[in-house]
């Protein structure tokens, strides 16, 4: 099971040929990650205020498999594949119906606002364990 985020491809997301510009997949997956943590009761603003830490992308391996087009309805799926002390790994897919158009392995790190690595706070870790696990 995975978190699902639906979106429509708008003209602004595409190039002259009506194909989604490659960098916009990163925006789509970022929005999906933000919605996922909110859906599980984690406000990234409160994370910073209450704990003095933020989440940031450390590493991403991406695979473009097919083009998304103007006016397509897409679904971004997100699954936590590993939860460690100061980071967690995700597997994300952008899909048009059953067709996978984009896939990414993402490593998210927890860090102090100044950039130093930090452990994920216990209450946040507990909320992250609610996410369905996957083999990615």
């Amino acid at each position: 099971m995975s978190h699902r985020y639906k979106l429509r491809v708008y003209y602004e997301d595409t190039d002259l040929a009506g194909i989604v510009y490659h960098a916009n997949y990163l925006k789509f997956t970022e929005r999906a990650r933000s919605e996922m943590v909110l859906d599980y009761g984690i406000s990234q603003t409160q994370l910073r205020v209450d704990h003095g830490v933020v989440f940031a992308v450390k590493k991403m391996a991406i695979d473009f498999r097919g083009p998304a087009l103007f006016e397509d309805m897409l679904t971004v799926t997100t699954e936590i594949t590993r939860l460690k002390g100061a980071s967690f790994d995700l597997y994300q897919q952008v899909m048009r119906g059953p067709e996978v158009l984009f896939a990414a392995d993402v490593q998210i790190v927890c860090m102090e606002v100044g950039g130093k690595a930090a452990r994920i706070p216990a209450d946040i870790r507990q909320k992250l364990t609610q996410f369905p696990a996957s083999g990615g």
Side-chain angles (χ1 to χ4, degrees):
M1 191 170 143
S2 60
H3 182 270
R4 300 172 70 77
Y5 173 73
K6 294 189 179 293
L7 64 101
R8 180 182 308 280
V9 174
Y10 295 108
Y11 185 75
E12 68 185 21
D13 299 320
T14 64
D15 60 17
L16 189 60
I19 297 171
V20 169
Y21 179 67
H22 71 280
N24 286 330
Y25 289 96
L26 302 179
K27 292 180 182 182
F28 298 162
T29 56
E30 176 67 32
R31 289 180 204 154
R33 289 191 301 274
S34 295
E35 289 296 326
M36 179 185 75
V37 295
L38 281 170
D39 285 352
Y40 281 86
I42 301 168
S43 163
Q44 293 188 73
T45 301
Q46 280 307 122
L47 182 66
R48 183 177 180 165
V49 169
D50 295 346
H51 299 285
V53 297
V54 296
F55 290 143
V57 173
K58 179 180 182 193
K59 191 177 0 178
M60 182 179 264
I62 58 178
D63 183 15
F64 295 96
R65 298 183 184 177
L69 307 171
F70 177 54
E71 295 185 342
D72 277 352
M73 285 300 300
L74 304 176
T75 302
V76 181
T77 61
T78 306
E79 301 175 29
I80 291 182
T81 57
R82 187 159 76 172
L83 179 60
K84 300 190 296 188
S87 68
F88 55 99
D89 297 338
L90 303 170
Y91 181 67
Q92 293 189 279
Q93 293 181 318
V94 177
M95 304 172 74
R96 180 180 49 231
E99 182 183 10
V100 177
L101 304 176
F102 173 92
D105 289 301
V106 185
Q107 184 178 45
I108 305 293
V109 295
C110 183
M111 63 183 198
E112 296 172 356
V113 177
K116 182 180 175 188
R119 291 192 63 77
I120 299 170
D123 60 322
I124 302 302
R125 171 179 286 289
Q126 179 59 37
K127 290 178 180 182
L128 290 172
T129 63
Q130 296 173 22
F131 289 97
S134 166

